[in-house]
Amino acid sequence: MCKGLAALPHSCLERAKEIKLKLGILLQKPDSAVDLVIPYNEKPEKPAKTQKPTLDEALQWRDSLDKLLQNNYGLASFKSFLKSEFSEENLEFWLACEDYKKIKSPAKMVEKAKKIYEEFIQTEAPKEVNIDHFTKDITMKNLVEPSLSSFDVAQKRIYALMEKDSLPRFVRSEFYQELIK
């Protein structure tokens, strides 16, 4: 049982954070009535307007997060799966970093860096990603003078987390199993 914040076991803290995130999602004002639907479908949503991969392509995703993320259908399927588990913040952060690296204007870079930090990195951020203090400190130092590589360390940590945790769960999921039938 969880007692006192200082004495909370790591798993208890993670569970409390997960509950807080889920409650935060429920308390957000929906943009439309569709947002009120809880994403527990009997069958996974099929990504719109993307070509279904060949069996060979889909089978490659088991061993390569890169190949999954480079395929529009794979990315959409992975994102739908993570949303169904209320754990899409890592993928959203990774994608935000990829977009950030494409920015040419220093002014836009500062603006986007601030947005990414506030949304994903800072303590109690709405979609806070699970990175260690060392990585968070490096990222904060990098943001004093934002550059295209400001989020590289954090992005690599999140990529590794998705590769070790999210990808294996996706491969075992109905979302993926439907594709390889």
Side-chain angles (χ1 to χ4, degrees), residues 1-10 12-14 16-17 124:
M1 177 122 227
C2 303
K3 294 183 182 178
L5 287 179
L8 283 177
H10 188 67
C12 221
L13 279 174
E14 288 177 347
K17 193 174 181 179
E124 303 297 322

Side-chain angles (χ1 to χ4, degrees), residues 44-51 72-78 80 179:
E45 285 179 32
K46 293 203 171 145
K49 295 185 181 178
T50 55
Q51 186 175 342
N72 288 337
Y73 196 97
L75 177 60
S77 295
F78 190 49
S80 292
L179 285 173

Side-chain angles (χ1 to χ4, degrees), residues 6-22:
L8 283 177
H10 188 67
S11 62
C12 221
L13 279 174
E14 288 177 347
R15 183 70 184 135
K17 193 174 181 179
E18 179 182 293
I19 290 169
K20 181 183 175 195
L21 177 66
K22 289 178 182 177

Side-chain angles (χ1 to χ4, degrees), residues 41-59:
N41 302 331
E42 286 186 28
K43 287 200 169 188
E45 285 179 32
K46 293 203 171 145
K49 295 185 181 178
T50 55
Q51 186 175 342
K52 190 172 180 177
T54 64
L55 179 59
D56 267 355
E57 287 173 319
L59 288 173

Side-chain angles (χ1 to χ4, degrees), residues 38-149:
I38 296 176
Y40 284 102
N41 302 331
E42 286 186 28
K43 287 200 169 188
E45 285 179 32
K46 293 203 171 145
K49 295 185 181 178
T50 55
Q51 186 175 342
K52 190 172 180 177
T54 64
L55 179 59
D56 267 355
E57 287 173 319
L59 288 173
Q60 290 176 10
W61 302 345
R62 292 183 300 193
D63 304 315
S64 174
L65 182 58
D66 275 335
K67 289 188 179 175
L68 171 66
L69 297 175
Q70 290 167 5
N71 181 289
N72 288 337
Y73 196 97
L75 177 60
S77 295
F78 190 49
K79 192 172 193 173
S80 292
F81 164 72
L82 293 173
K83 279 186 179 189
S84 77
E85 293 199 330
F86 299 100
S87 63
E88 68 270 21
E89 68 280 350
N90 288 341
L91 179 60
E92 288 179 8
F93 171 72
W94 188 86
L95 292 169
C97 291
E98 288 298 293
D99 287 343
Y100 176 80
K101 292 176 188 176
K102 298 173 187 168
I103 297 172
K104 303 281 188 246
S105 159
K108 286 184 180 179
M109 190 179 295
V110 169
E111 183 182 316
K112 180 74 170 177
K114 183 178 189 284
K115 184 178 178 192
I116 291 172
Y117 174 78
E118 290 173 351
E119 190 171 356
F120 299 103
I121 304 290
Q122 78 180 6
T123 304
E124 303 297 322
K127 297 178 181 178
E128 186 177 1
V129 292
N130 186 9
I131 54 173
D132 57 88
H133 289 290
F134 177 74
T135 302
K136 190 178 277 196
D137 290 345
I138 288 174
T139 303
M140 288 168 50
K141 286 175 186 163
N142 289 345
L143 293 175
V144 172
E145 290 183 37
S147 70
L148 293 178
S149 61

